[in-house]
Amino acid sequence: RFLHPTQANGVFIDLPAHAIPQLRQLGWHFYVFEGETGCRLMCSWDTQASEVDAFIADVGSLLQPASASEKPK
């Protein structure tokens, strides 16, 4: 969820608490800026669309519910 309108190269989003350390383990760098889950994402002006797509894919994979075969019995 977006926390503020996007007006420049910074985006403020609310991430689930479990996703923050997992994204950092994947090598992504960002600040928790508001509360415990409000994150500030910044891009340089030469950030490639493929880098943004990779971040979105990683976030998406962390937000997917576990499949039936992965659920504990």
Side-chain angles (χ1 to χ4, degrees), residues 2-72:
F2 287 95
L3 298 174
H4 302 286
T6 302
Q7 299 175 340
N9 64 326
V11 177
F12 295 85
I13 61 171
D14 186 39
L15 286 173
H18 77 275
I20 294 168
Q22 292 175 324
L23 287 166
R24 288 182 172 145
Q25 286 178 340
L26 292 171
W28 297 107
H29 303 279
F30 53 90
Y31 294 101
V32 176
F33 204 72
E34 294 184 24
E36 295 182 13
T37 59
C39 299
R40 180 180 76 164
L41 309 175
M42 299 294 294
C43 294
S44 70
W45 296 107
D46 64 348
T47 299
Q48 300 297 306
S50 60
E51 295 169 291
V52 175
D53 291 342
F55 179 79
I56 292 169
D58 284 347
V59 170
S61 70
L62 295 173
L63 300 182
Q64 293 297 316
S67 69
S69 63
E70 295 174 343
K71 290 183 180 176

